[in-house]
Amino acid sequence: MNRNLTEDRPTFVTHLECSLTGERYEADQLHGLSRAGQPLLVRYDLDALGRAVSRDTIAARETDLWRWRELLPVRRTDSIVSLGEIETPLIPIPRSGGDTVLVKDEGRLPTGSFKARGLVMAVAMARELGVTRIAMPTNGNAGAALAAYAARCGIETVILCPEETPEVNVREIAAQGARVWRVNGQIDECGAIVGRGAAEGRWFDFSTLKEPYRIEGKKTMGLELAAQLGWELPDAIFYPTGGGTGLIGMWKAFDEMERLGWIGAKRPRMYAVQASGCAPIVRAYEAGEDHAERWEDAATVAAGIRVPKAVGDFLILRAVRESGGAALAVGDPAILKAVEECAKKDGLLLCPEGGATLAAYQQAVRNNLVDEDERVVLYNCATGLKYPMPEAGQWLDKNAPIDLGAL
Ligand SMILES: *Cc1c(COP(=O)(O)O)cnc(C)c1O
């Protein structure tokens, strides 16, 4: 077992807070959305936290997600079900990206995506608070991570996937012990069914941002990035945005670290990347709106960001604007081209959503949003190995004469 997990687990959670109205909610109780129907954010006693632990203490610990335990909500060590949540590497991609571009390769996490960060935390908290049955709508990776962690601790799961969810995702969810259904609709329509069951008390609703702890898990992407870059954040971050948990989580992490005095006031410009076939956040950003209307007929190869309506839309838009970034859309052909280029030139196989961040970065450089010498981090949110790859159909007949020089 991981060394950290056997230690006591002090947490500095004081309460939860409605992200819209600021209304206070008790910690240590099961919560969904706030009474205003908005996501809840976890708050900590940062003064006490800062006295109890320094960034150097954390930096000296084993480099996994649990090194950040004081900044995480779990109170009891035995609530945690771990599959080995490693710190993910920053990989330079000098040929397809440029000399100052790093990819944070989240595909190396359990279940092959950064959904593991959010779900390891949410499942631990569900377990701590006595939940025995969970349901979730998913485009694939979140369901896979939930299924895996829930299976490990005997929580039952019911998972609904839009019909266009990649086959590999549906199968891995089933293989990891969940009850999974395809639904003839988009993720928000699956979410509506989950909501109906939750209202009847059949299960706890684990939809994106409808429980408060996935953000805390995703927050570790921002904490980790700061530590990896010597407590100096990059100039810009490109984040593939569906529900936006990661972007909101990182923005929260930066804020908490600044208040702890672990980083300065400098923030990266946050670029929320969407596919042009499903870009509700981009449309709202460009129109100057605080909320995003539902995107009809959503379609893109990047299933992880095919989210027509995000509960946390205003939190995404707020972070993007406060940071001086933007919301950017890229087309499927550009996404697939970026995946191909990165694999062929830099040997790193991105998932389509990761490819979207590279395509958006290239577009941002062309449009002078980003200078070529600025330090940029792209998030590759899942392993490229889960997704369909270009055909490779050449055959060699071992019984025929072989022209070795032509191979
Ligand atoms: C979930 C997911 C996203 C979007 O992440 P959010 O934080 O929900 O916006 C992007 N890419 C992949 C591969 C995903 O699974």
PDB file of all heavy atoms in Angstrom, residues 113-115 141-142 208 214 218 239-247 304-305 351 353 381-382 387, ligand 1:
ATOM      1  N   SER A 113      -7.316   8.025 -17.954  1.00  0.00           N
ATOM      2  CA  SER A 113      -7.721   9.412 -18.178  1.00  0.00           C
ATOM      3  C   SER A 113      -7.704  10.210 -16.885  1.00  0.00           C
ATOM      4  O   SER A 113      -7.669   9.638 -15.793  1.00  0.00           O
ATOM      5  CB  SER A 113      -9.124   9.503 -18.794  1.00  0.00           C
ATOM      6  OG  SER A 113     -10.117   9.501 -17.774  1.00  0.00           O
ATOM      7  N   PHE A 114      -7.765  11.546 -17.027  1.00  0.00           N
ATOM      8  CA  PHE A 114      -7.731  12.405 -15.830  1.00  0.00           C
ATOM      9  C   PHE A 114      -9.034  12.349 -15.038  1.00  0.00           C
ATOM     10  O   PHE A 114      -9.121  12.938 -13.961  1.00  0.00           O
ATOM     11  CB  PHE A 114      -7.323  13.831 -16.171  1.00  0.00           C
ATOM     12  CG  PHE A 114      -8.230  14.635 -17.063  1.00  0.00           C
ATOM     13  CD1 PHE A 114      -9.510  14.233 -17.414  1.00  0.00           C
ATOM     14  CD2 PHE A 114      -7.770  15.869 -17.550  1.00  0.00           C
ATOM     15  CE1 PHE A 114     -10.326  15.011 -18.222  1.00  0.00           C
ATOM     16  CE2 PHE A 114      -8.568  16.656 -18.358  1.00  0.00           C
ATOM     17  CZ  PHE A 114      -9.845  16.224 -18.692  1.00  0.00           C
ATOM     18  N   LYS A 115     -10.018  11.625 -15.548  1.00  0.00           N
ATOM     19  CA  LYS A 115     -11.234  11.438 -14.765  1.00  0.00           C
ATOM     20  C   LYS A 115     -10.909  10.701 -13.456  1.00  0.00           C
ATOM     21  O   LYS A 115     -11.637  10.825 -12.479  1.00  0.00           O
ATOM     22  CB  LYS A 115     -12.271  10.655 -15.562  1.00  0.00           C
ATOM     23  CG  LYS A 115     -12.860  11.420 -16.743  1.00  0.00           C
ATOM     24  CD  LYS A 115     -13.609  12.654 -16.306  1.00  0.00           C
ATOM     25  CE  LYS A 115     -14.473  13.273 -17.399  1.00  0.00           C
ATOM     26  NZ  LYS A 115     -13.738  13.685 -18.599  1.00  0.00           N
ATOM     27  N   ASN A 141     -15.079   8.276 -20.258  1.00  0.00           N
ATOM     28  CA  ASN A 141     -13.973   8.156 -19.319  1.00  0.00           C
ATOM     29  C   ASN A 141     -14.380   8.343 -17.854  1.00  0.00           C
ATOM     30  O   ASN A 141     -13.820   7.694 -16.971  1.00  0.00           O
ATOM     31  CB  ASN A 141     -12.871   9.155 -19.671  1.00  0.00           C
ATOM     32  CG  ASN A 141     -12.143   8.742 -20.940  1.00  0.00           C
ATOM     33  OD1 ASN A 141     -11.894   7.558 -21.156  1.00  0.00           O
ATOM     34  ND2 ASN A 141     -11.799   9.702 -21.774  1.00  0.00           N
ATOM     35  N   ALA A 142     -15.331   9.223 -17.608  1.00  0.00           N
ATOM     36  CA  ALA A 142     -15.775   9.414 -16.226  1.00  0.00           C
ATOM     37  C   ALA A 142     -16.447   8.140 -15.724  1.00  0.00           C
ATOM     38  O   ALA A 142     -16.211   7.690 -14.594  1.00  0.00           O
ATOM     39  CB  ALA A 142     -16.729  10.595 -16.120  1.00  0.00           C
ATOM     40  N   THR A 208     -21.369  15.466 -13.489  1.00  0.00           N
ATOM     41  CA  THR A 208     -20.329  16.491 -13.389  1.00  0.00           C
ATOM     42  C   THR A 208     -20.818  17.716 -12.615  1.00  0.00           C
ATOM     43  O   THR A 208     -21.835  18.307 -12.985  1.00  0.00           O
ATOM     44  CB  THR A 208     -19.896  16.936 -14.800  1.00  0.00           C
ATOM     45  OG1 THR A 208     -19.505  15.788 -15.517  1.00  0.00           O
ATOM     46  CG2 THR A 208     -18.743  17.918 -14.736  1.00  0.00           C
ATOM     47  N   ARG A 214     -15.494  16.097  -7.034  1.00  0.00           N
ATOM     48  CA  ARG A 214     -14.702  15.858  -8.241  1.00  0.00           C
ATOM     49  C   ARG A 214     -13.797  17.059  -8.526  1.00  0.00           C
ATOM     50  O   ARG A 214     -12.657  16.893  -8.947  1.00  0.00           O
ATOM     51  CB  ARG A 214     -15.627  15.616  -9.433  1.00  0.00           C
ATOM     52  CG  ARG A 214     -15.676  14.145  -9.806  1.00  0.00           C
ATOM     53  CD  ARG A 214     -16.873  13.874 -10.662  1.00  0.00           C
ATOM     54  NE  ARG A 214     -16.562  14.000 -12.077  1.00  0.00           N
ATOM     55  CZ  ARG A 214     -17.445  13.780 -13.036  1.00  0.00           C
ATOM     56  NH1 ARG A 214     -18.685  13.449 -12.736  1.00  0.00           N
ATOM     57  NH2 ARG A 214     -17.104  13.901 -14.298  1.00  0.00           N
ATOM     58  N   LYS A 218      -9.774  17.083  -9.281  1.00  0.00           N
ATOM     59  CA  LYS A 218      -9.238  17.677 -10.508  1.00  0.00           C
ATOM     60  C   LYS A 218      -8.317  18.858 -10.202  1.00  0.00           C
ATOM     61  O   LYS A 218      -7.409  19.179 -10.970  1.00  0.00           O
ATOM     62  CB  LYS A 218     -10.386  18.151 -11.408  1.00  0.00           C
ATOM     63  CG  LYS A 218     -11.031  17.022 -12.215  1.00  0.00           C
ATOM     64  CD  LYS A 218     -10.217  16.751 -13.472  1.00  0.00           C
ATOM     65  CE  LYS A 218     -10.991  15.958 -14.500  1.00  0.00           C
ATOM     66  NZ  LYS A 218     -11.660  16.763 -15.502  1.00  0.00           N
ATOM     67  N   TYR A 239      -6.942  23.877 -22.213  1.00  0.00           N
ATOM     68  CA  TYR A 239      -7.676  22.806 -21.546  1.00  0.00           C
ATOM     69  C   TYR A 239      -8.891  22.389 -22.370  1.00  0.00           C
ATOM     70  O   TYR A 239      -9.730  23.234 -22.712  1.00  0.00           O
ATOM     71  CB  TYR A 239      -8.127  23.286 -20.153  1.00  0.00           C
ATOM     72  CG  TYR A 239      -8.769  22.186 -19.360  1.00  0.00           C
ATOM     73  CD1 TYR A 239      -7.993  21.256 -18.685  1.00  0.00           C
ATOM     74  CD2 TYR A 239     -10.153  22.041 -19.316  1.00  0.00           C
ATOM     75  CE1 TYR A 239      -8.580  20.218 -17.980  1.00  0.00           C
ATOM     76  CE2 TYR A 239     -10.746  21.007 -18.621  1.00  0.00           C
ATOM     77  CZ  TYR A 239      -9.954  20.096 -17.958  1.00  0.00           C
ATOM     78  OH  TYR A 239     -10.531  19.067 -17.269  1.00  0.00           O
ATOM     79  N   PRO A 240      -8.999  21.093 -22.689  1.00  0.00           N
ATOM     80  CA  PRO A 240     -10.151  20.625 -23.458  1.00  0.00           C
ATOM     81  C   PRO A 240     -11.381  20.640 -22.569  1.00  0.00           C
ATOM     82  O   PRO A 240     -11.438  19.921 -21.571  1.00  0.00           O
ATOM     83  CB  PRO A 240      -9.763  19.196 -23.831  1.00  0.00           C
ATOM     84  CG  PRO A 240      -8.816  18.758 -22.767  1.00  0.00           C
ATOM     85  CD  PRO A 240      -8.127  19.988 -22.260  1.00  0.00           C
ATOM     86  N   THR A 241     -12.359  21.438 -22.919  1.00  0.00           N
ATOM     87  CA  THR A 241     -13.431  21.745 -21.981  1.00  0.00           C
ATOM     88  C   THR A 241     -14.754  21.109 -22.359  1.00  0.00           C
ATOM     89  O   THR A 241     -15.331  21.404 -23.404  1.00  0.00           O
ATOM     90  CB  THR A 241     -13.617  23.276 -21.913  1.00  0.00           C
ATOM     91  OG1 THR A 241     -12.343  23.861 -21.589  1.00  0.00           O
ATOM     92  CG2 THR A 241     -14.629  23.663 -20.854  1.00  0.00           C
ATOM     93  N   GLY A 242     -15.214  20.218 -21.491  1.00  0.00           N
ATOM     94  CA  GLY A 242     -16.551  19.654 -21.619  1.00  0.00           C
ATOM     95  C   GLY A 242     -17.385  20.244 -20.504  1.00  0.00           C
ATOM     96  O   GLY A 242     -17.949  21.335 -20.613  1.00  0.00           O
ATOM     97  N   GLY A 243     -17.426  19.528 -19.369  1.00  0.00           N
ATOM     98  CA  GLY A 243     -18.085  20.059 -18.174  1.00  0.00           C
ATOM     99  C   GLY A 243     -17.247  21.113 -17.466  1.00  0.00           C
ATOM    100  O   GLY A 243     -17.760  21.871 -16.649  1.00  0.00           O
ATOM    101  N   GLY A 244     -15.959  21.137 -17.767  1.00  0.00           N
ATOM    102  CA  GLY A 244     -15.085  22.179 -17.244  1.00  0.00           C
ATOM    103  C   GLY A 244     -14.530  21.947 -15.847  1.00  0.00           C
ATOM    104  O   GLY A 244     -13.867  22.831 -15.285  1.00  0.00           O
ATOM    105  N   THR A 245     -14.771  20.756 -15.301  1.00  0.00           N
ATOM    106  CA  THR A 245     -14.302  20.473 -13.933  1.00  0.00           C
ATOM    107  C   THR A 245     -12.823  20.791 -13.730  1.00  0.00           C
ATOM    108  O   THR A 245     -12.441  21.358 -12.712  1.00  0.00           O
ATOM    109  CB  THR A 245     -14.469  18.967 -13.599  1.00  0.00           C
ATOM    110  OG1 THR A 245     -15.549  18.465 -14.348  1.00  0.00           O
ATOM    111  CG2 THR A 245     -14.678  18.762 -12.132  1.00  0.00           C
ATOM    112  N   GLY A 246     -12.021  20.396 -14.699  1.00  0.00           N
ATOM    113  CA  GLY A 246     -10.579  20.570 -14.562  1.00  0.00           C
ATOM    114  C   GLY A 246     -10.180  22.031 -14.585  1.00  0.00           C
ATOM    115  O   GLY A 246      -9.346  22.476 -13.787  1.00  0.00           O
ATOM    116  N   LEU A 247     -10.769  22.773 -15.483  1.00  0.00           N
ATOM    117  CA  LEU A 247     -10.442  24.196 -15.583  1.00  0.00           C
ATOM    118  C   LEU A 247     -10.868  24.942 -14.316  1.00  0.00           C
ATOM    119  O   LEU A 247     -10.109  25.721 -13.742  1.00  0.00           O
ATOM    120  CB  LEU A 247     -11.125  24.767 -16.831  1.00  0.00           C
ATOM    121  CG  LEU A 247     -10.633  26.117 -17.324  1.00  0.00           C
ATOM    122  CD1 LEU A 247     -10.733  26.189 -18.842  1.00  0.00           C
ATOM    123  CD2 LEU A 247     -11.409  27.263 -16.710  1.00  0.00           C
ATOM    124  N   GLY A 304     -15.048  13.299 -25.381  1.00  0.00           N
ATOM    125  CA  GLY A 304     -14.903  13.811 -24.012  1.00  0.00           C
ATOM    126  C   GLY A 304     -15.333  15.257 -23.864  1.00  0.00           C
ATOM    127  O   GLY A 304     -15.623  15.710 -22.754  1.00  0.00           O
ATOM    128  N   ILE A 305     -15.342  15.996 -24.958  1.00  0.00           N
ATOM    129  CA  ILE A 305     -15.771  17.392 -24.881  1.00  0.00           C
ATOM    130  C   ILE A 305     -17.092  17.613 -25.637  1.00  0.00           C
ATOM    131  O   ILE A 305     -17.434  18.741 -25.978  1.00  0.00           O
ATOM    132  CB  ILE A 305     -14.664  18.378 -25.358  1.00  0.00           C
ATOM    133  CG1 ILE A 305     -14.094  17.991 -26.721  1.00  0.00           C
ATOM    134  CG2 ILE A 305     -13.549  18.430 -24.330  1.00  0.00           C
ATOM    135  CD1 ILE A 305     -13.055  18.983 -27.258  1.00  0.00           C
ATOM    136  N   CYS A 351      -4.952  11.746 -27.232  1.00  0.00           N
ATOM    137  CA  CYS A 351      -6.355  11.432 -27.492  1.00  0.00           C
ATOM    138  C   CYS A 351      -6.918  12.583 -28.332  1.00  0.00           C
ATOM    139  O   CYS A 351      -6.293  13.648 -28.427  1.00  0.00           O
ATOM    140  CB  CYS A 351      -7.115  11.278 -26.172  1.00  0.00           C
ATOM    141  SG  CYS A 351      -7.176  12.784 -25.178  1.00  0.00           S
ATOM    142  N   GLU A 353      -9.186  14.751 -27.742  1.00  0.00           N
ATOM    143  CA  GLU A 353      -9.359  15.972 -26.955  1.00  0.00           C
ATOM    144  C   GLU A 353      -8.011  16.648 -26.708  1.00  0.00           C
ATOM    145  O   GLU A 353      -7.900  17.872 -26.703  1.00  0.00           O
ATOM    146  CB  GLU A 353     -10.040  15.651 -25.619  1.00  0.00           C
ATOM    147  CG  GLU A 353     -11.442  15.059 -25.755  1.00  0.00           C
ATOM    148  CD  GLU A 353     -11.447  13.558 -26.113  1.00  0.00           C
ATOM    149  OE1 GLU A 353     -10.359  12.955 -26.224  1.00  0.00           O
ATOM    150  OE2 GLU A 353     -12.546  12.999 -26.291  1.00  0.00           O
ATOM    151  N   CYS A 381      -5.760  14.653 -21.947  1.00  0.00           N
ATOM    152  CA  CYS A 381      -6.599  14.192 -20.843  1.00  0.00           C
ATOM    153  C   CYS A 381      -6.798  12.694 -20.771  1.00  0.00           C
ATOM    154  O   CYS A 381      -7.247  12.173 -19.762  1.00  0.00           O
ATOM    155  CB  CYS A 381      -7.930  14.893 -20.966  1.00  0.00           C
ATOM    156  SG  CYS A 381      -8.255  15.369 -22.653  1.00  0.00           S
ATOM    157  N   ALA A 382      -6.471  11.977 -21.858  1.00  0.00           N
ATOM    158  CA  ALA A 382      -6.639  10.518 -21.835  1.00  0.00           C
ATOM    159  C   ALA A 382      -5.590   9.883 -22.736  1.00  0.00           C
ATOM    160  O   ALA A 382      -5.018  10.546 -23.599  1.00  0.00           O
ATOM    161  CB  ALA A 382      -8.043  10.131 -22.317  1.00  0.00           C
ATOM    162  N   TYR A 387      -8.518   5.193 -28.386  1.00  0.00           N
ATOM    163  CA  TYR A 387      -9.295   5.746 -29.496  1.00  0.00           C
ATOM    164  C   TYR A 387      -8.926   5.101 -30.820  1.00  0.00           C
ATOM    165  O   TYR A 387      -7.828   4.582 -30.985  1.00  0.00           O
ATOM    166  CB  TYR A 387      -9.095   7.269 -29.545  1.00  0.00           C
ATOM    167  CG  TYR A 387      -9.567   7.871 -28.251  1.00  0.00           C
ATOM    168  CD1 TYR A 387      -8.716   7.949 -27.152  1.00  0.00           C
ATOM    169  CD2 TYR A 387     -10.889   8.271 -28.095  1.00  0.00           C
ATOM    170  CE1 TYR A 387      -9.158   8.437 -25.935  1.00  0.00           C
ATOM    171  CE2 TYR A 387     -11.342   8.757 -26.889  1.00  0.00           C
ATOM    172  CZ  TYR A 387     -10.470   8.841 -25.803  1.00  0.00           C
ATOM    173  OH  TYR A 387     -10.927   9.306 -24.611  1.00  0.00           O
TER     174      TYR A 387
HETATM  175  C1  LIG B   1     -14.044  14.451 -19.511  1.00  0.00           C
HETATM  176  C2  LIG B   1     -13.075  14.667 -20.555  1.00  0.00           C
HETATM  177  C3  LIG B   1     -12.771  15.967 -20.979  1.00  0.00           C
HETATM  178  C4  LIG B   1     -13.435  17.190 -20.418  1.00  0.00           C
HETATM  179  O1  LIG B   1     -13.090  17.393 -19.080  1.00  0.00           O
HETATM  180  P1  LIG B   1     -13.925  18.417 -18.187  1.00  0.00           P
HETATM  181  O2  LIG B   1     -13.034  18.714 -17.046  1.00  0.00           O
HETATM  182  O3  LIG B   1     -15.173  17.706 -17.787  1.00  0.00           O
HETATM  183  O4  LIG B   1     -14.213  19.606 -19.017  1.00  0.00           O
HETATM  184  C5  LIG B   1     -11.828  16.098 -21.980  1.00  0.00           C
HETATM  185  N1  LIG B   1     -11.229  15.043 -22.527  1.00  0.00           N
HETATM  186  C6  LIG B   1     -11.474  13.779 -22.131  1.00  0.00           C
HETATM  187  C7  LIG B   1     -10.751  12.659 -22.789  1.00  0.00           C
HETATM  188  C8  LIG B   1     -12.411  13.549 -21.138  1.00  0.00           C
HETATM  189  O5  LIG B   1     -12.653  12.302 -20.749  1.00  0.00           O
END
